[in-house]
Amino acid sequence: MDLPRIFTIRERSHRIHNPFTPAKLATLGQALHLAPGTRVLDLASGSGEMLCTWARDHGVTGTGVDISTVFTEEARARAAELGVADRVTFVHDDAVGYVSDEPVDLVSCLGATWIGDGAAGTIELLARSLRPGGLMLIGEPYWRREVPDEETARACHAGSKADFRLLPELVEQFGELGYDVVEMVLADGDSWDRYQAAQWLNLRRWLDRNPGDELAAEVRAELTAEPARYTRYQREYLGWGVFALMAR
């Protein structure tokens, strides 16, 4: 049980596996007014930056669950580095269907709503671990403006235009599912660049070290195509944000 190698090659230098900078992540934590001792469950927790920095800065406690062995080990190392290993735990497991043994104060899934087959299913899954009146965080893509055709949608890594919604429609969807949107922090052009462009350097450095690897041709093809695809399509059309929800 693990992520395909290409994911860890692509994002090897990343501490945050979505288009958020450390400043954006800190802004989100501050905006939520987290109380010391807040219990958190973070599904698809990646390298654990949210839990680790919020444990340091706000005194939260909690558990992160991720399918990647590499990212889980990085999360544990980050917790030790920041001196919060006694407050946060990282579990190598499949986040699909994962439910906390006891209700938590805050439950999150940032950028991996495939674990519930989309936003609606992921919200239903997260709600099973959340105490009444607790806070839910969903990180989700949206269209920044109308997408002209299916080719553009596919170039933004969507299966079709219908896979994502415009921002107002996404916010309305949360309401239709029975949740108030009580905060949001959105990625901007710079945070998207830091996420995407950093991958290109990771790919190139890996290629230089591993020219004979069985994945070398796939990595070379991605590095050749991705900068132009990202700047032509994704940077223009695709947004991403974290939305704080509370059940009505």
Side-chain angles (χ1 to χ4, degrees):
M1 180 176 62
D2 211 334
L3 282 178
R5 285 175 65 213
I6 188 65
F7 283 87
T8 52
I9 292 169
R10 186 187 294 129
E11 299 194 15
R12 184 67 190 192
S13 69
H14 291 49
R15 282 182 170 163
I16 302 171
H17 301 282
N18 54 57
F20 254 20
T21 59
K24 291 276 187 185
L25 194 59
T27 295
L28 178 62
Q30 293 162 5
L32 298 176
H33 305 289
L34 298 167
T38 297
R39 295 163 299 162
V40 180
L41 174 65
D42 186 20
L43 297 186
S45 52
S47 296
E49 192 71 359
M50 185 185 82
L51 265 178
C52 289
T53 56
W54 288 5
R56 178 195 64 191
D57 298 340
H58 304 287
V60 308
T61 65
T63 301
V65 180
D66 201 272
I67 198 172
S68 169
T69 54
V70 172
F71 295 159
T72 301
E73 286 304 312
E74 289 178 349
R76 292 168 179 161
R78 183 64 166 155
E81 177 188 357
L82 296 184
V84 296
D86 59 332
R87 295 180 228 165
V88 294
T89 301
F90 293 98
V91 178
H92 174 237
D93 202 351
D94 192 346
V96 175
Y98 191 97
V99 177
S100 176
D101 292 336
E102 296 182 359
V104 298
D105 304 308
L106 187 154
V107 64
S108 60
C109 178
L110 306 189
T113 54
W114 51 265
I115 69 171
D117 241 0
T122 300
I123 287 172
E124 182 180 359
L125 171 62
L126 295 179
R128 294 165 62 191
S129 296
L130 190 63
R131 68 164 175 81
L135 198 61
M136 182 182 298
L137 302 181
I138 291 285
E140 186 71 348
Y142 59 87
W143 296 125
R144 296 181 63 240
R145 59 191 183 92
E146 290 286 352
V147 176
D149 49 46
E150 293 295 334
E151 177 186 1
T152 300
R154 289 191 295 271
C156 294
H157 297 304
S160 72
K161 292 166 62 174
D163 280 4
F164 306 138
R165 302 170 183 234
L166 293 168
L167 180 58
E169 295 170 356
L170 177 60
V171 170
E172 288 169 353
Q173 181 190 19
F174 295 139
E176 292 162 2
L177 293 170
Y179 287 82
D180 290 321
V181 178
V182 297
E183 247 305 351
M184 70 178 189
V185 177
L186 306 181
D188 56 23
D190 180 65
S191 53
W192 266 113
D193 291 347
R194 297 285 37 81
Y195 176 56
Q196 294 288 154
Q199 296 177 16
W200 310 334
L201 186 56
N202 290 338
L203 294 171
R204 176 54 194 264
R205 285 181 168 164
W206 183 90
L207 268 178
D208 289 346
R209 293 192 302 267
N210 302 277
D213 191 279
E214 62 183 2
L215 285 182
E218 179 181 349
V219 171
R220 164 42 62 195
E222 182 171 323
L223 178 57
T224 299
E226 280 300 295
R229 183 205 59 77
Y230 167 69
T231 51
R232 178 171 289 115
Y233 298 105
Q234 187 170 324
R235 199 177 193 276
E236 181 72 16
Y237 290 98
L238 192 62
W240 191 88
V242 178
F243 303 86
L245 312 178
M246 294 183 72
R248 290 177 177 169

